[in-house]
Amino acid sequence: MPLLARMLMAPLTMEVRRGAVAELGALLADSRVATSGRVAVAVGAGQGAHISGLIAPTLCDAEVFRVPDGSVDSAVSLGADLRKGAYEAVVGIGGGKTIDVTKYAASLAGIPMVAVATNLSHDGICSPVSSLEHESGKGSFGVPMPLAILVDLDFVHGAPPALVRSGVGDVISNLSAIDDWQLGSVERGEPIDGLAVSMARTSAEAVLGRVDSVESDAFLTVLAESLILSGMSMVVAGSSRPSSGGDHEILHAVDQLYPGTSNHGELAGVGAAFCFFLREDEHRLSQVTGCLRRHGLPVTPSDVGLTAEQFTAAVMLAPSTRPGRYTILEHLRLSEAEVRDRVEEYVRAVGH
């Protein structure tokens, strides 16, 4: 892909700071976002009233829509409202579910979307994917990336710390995904995009060794930038390959078999650690588990309430969640008995 094309896919603007929601009007005054100022705003159910009050002084003409949940139905309904209203752009303000619904709704309406994140639980802030719930579970849907991205640290500090920390698990799982992509290249001749790999690795390494945590603005800024960079790596690659490997296959399998077990980022972290154990990469395993523990994130299946048997079942199902994707799981092709043994060995190795 030509460098110019890649540059054109970058967001119009990206800011990580306090007070971003209250000053949203300044961004939307940019004619590259909306020429007439006819903009819709989608907010989550939890903080909807508070956010609406904050943006009212600067977005007098904007219509606010409430996003009740993270389902396909909600996204389709919002998309229909956006088409009927002939809006030039839509702003999604909230956590991952709200932003994912708004991204998909914007794609249905054929208008640009501005993402304003009030949480940092995963890399969906900027990714070209919406993860939405439907009657059969949860699915991933391709969408255009947001036109602009703001992260409001005031809201992030007010979010449940466990959710914010889970973003760490999602971004460091890039390291496992990259190894899987390189494995696919060696074993199957799969082409690799070097820029996408560099972006995904840089985002993970930026967080991996930090000793501060979600209490500090400095850490949250780096985490936000890393999650956004991770999302952009997928845009460059044209797929989720640089940020989703065997680790994400495992988390999707857990979501299918045991809905509500844990959140995306926590499961991605556990999946990544287990994949490094399967690779017998002791150095990366130690780095990843050390990072997870430093941030109070789960490391073993029991940390998320799963037995060894349940986690074994998820690992066995995992390859079917991403047909055609080659990862360490497809490479080893372990039997159920072999997976159970590896899970038990993993728990003994890291469960201290």
Side-chain angles (χ1 to χ4, degrees):
M1 183 183 297
L3 179 59
L4 177 60
R6 287 174 172 151
M7 292 172 65
L8 290 174
M9 289 190 296
L12 176 69
T13 186
M14 182 186 84
E15 296 184 47
V16 183
R17 59 184 173 86
R18 291 178 178 266
V21 169
E23 299 177 23
L24 181 59
L27 169 63
L28 297 181
D30 190 322
S31 61
R32 292 173 293 178
V33 178
T35 55
S36 70
R38 185 161 176 73
V39 175
V41 177
V43 296
Q47 298 176 317
H50 180 46
I51 291 172
S52 298
L54 282 177
I55 64 176
T58 55
L59 296 177
C60 300
D61 297 330
E63 185 168 358
V64 178
F65 295 91
R66 300 295 173 86
V67 177
D69 54 38
S71 68
V72 173
D73 288 344
S74 292
V76 171
S77 176
L78 177 59
D81 289 333
L82 296 177
R83 285 197 303 273
K84 285 188 293 187
Y87 297 100
E88 285 189 277
V90 58
V91 181
I93 307 176
K97 289 183 179 180
T98 301
I99 288 178
D100 277 352
V101 165
T102 309
K103 282 194 293 186
Y104 191 67
S107 72
L108 294 177
I111 60 176
M113 181 261 190
V114 173
V116 183
T118 60
N119 204 336
L120 298 174
S121 58
H122 58 72
D123 61 13
I125 302 169
C126 183
S127 75
V129 176
S130 283
S131 180
L132 301 172
E133 299 162 2
H134 51 76
E135 61 275 4
S136 300
K138 183 177 284 187
S140 297
F141 304 87
V143 294
M145 71 180 293
L147 181 66
I149 302 160
L150 301 178
V151 178
D152 194 319
L153 294 181
D154 288 327
F155 277 88
V156 174
H157 277 294
L163 277 182
V164 181
R165 290 191 183 98
S166 71
V168 174
D170 199 20
V171 77
I172 65 171
S173 74
N174 288 2
L175 298 170
S176 174
I178 291 167
D179 279 3
D180 281 333
W181 199 2
Q182 292 171 333
L183 180 63
S185 176
V186 171
E187 295 294 328
R188 292 193 168 182
E190 184 179 346
I192 291 182
D193 189 299
L195 177 59
V197 167
S198 178
M199 294 167 74
R201 180 181 288 117
T202 297
S203 66
E205 295 283 4
V207 171
L208 187 64
R210 289 190 69 99
V211 295
D212 51 350
S213 191
V214 298
E215 294 76 22
S216 87
D217 279 3
F219 179 83
L220 291 178
T221 299
V222 171
L223 178 59
E225 291 171 346
S226 295
L227 291 170
I228 292 168
L229 188 61
S230 178
M232 291 175 65
S233 75
M234 291 185 259
V235 177
V236 170
S239 76
S240 61
R241 198 56 158 125
S243 299
S244 174
D247 42 273
H248 274 57
E249 290 182 338
I250 292 172
L251 83 82
H252 291 308
V254 171
D255 279 342
Q256 286 185 31
L257 293 173
Y258 318 108
T261 294
S262 187
N263 61 52
H264 182 101
E266 289 185 345
L267 292 175
V270 174
F274 181 68
C275 286
F276 279 122
F277 178 79
L278 292 180
R279 293 189 188 93
E280 301 181 1
D281 188 338
E282 294 182 7
H283 175 65
R284 276 300 193 199
L285 176 62
S286 175
Q287 284 185 316
V288 167
T289 55
C291 180
L292 294 175
R293 285 201 171 91
R294 198 158 54 246
H295 293 284
L297 291 168
V299 175
T300 66
S302 63
D303 291 339
V304 293
L306 295 177
T307 64
E309 290 73 21
Q310 289 173 320
F311 194 73
T312 296
V315 174
M316 292 301 296
L317 178 65
S320 69
T321 67
R322 286 290 182 272
R325 181 155 294 186
Y326 195 78
T327 77
I328 189 64
L329 303 180
E330 288 81 2
H331 180 68
L332 294 177
R333 299 176 63 184
L334 300 175
S335 67
E336 184 173 357
E338 289 171 326
V339 170
R340 186 181 300 109
D341 288 343
R342 297 293 179 91
V343 170
E344 292 172 354
E345 290 168 5
Y346 170 74
V347 171
R348 286 196 296 270
V350 304
H352 52 76

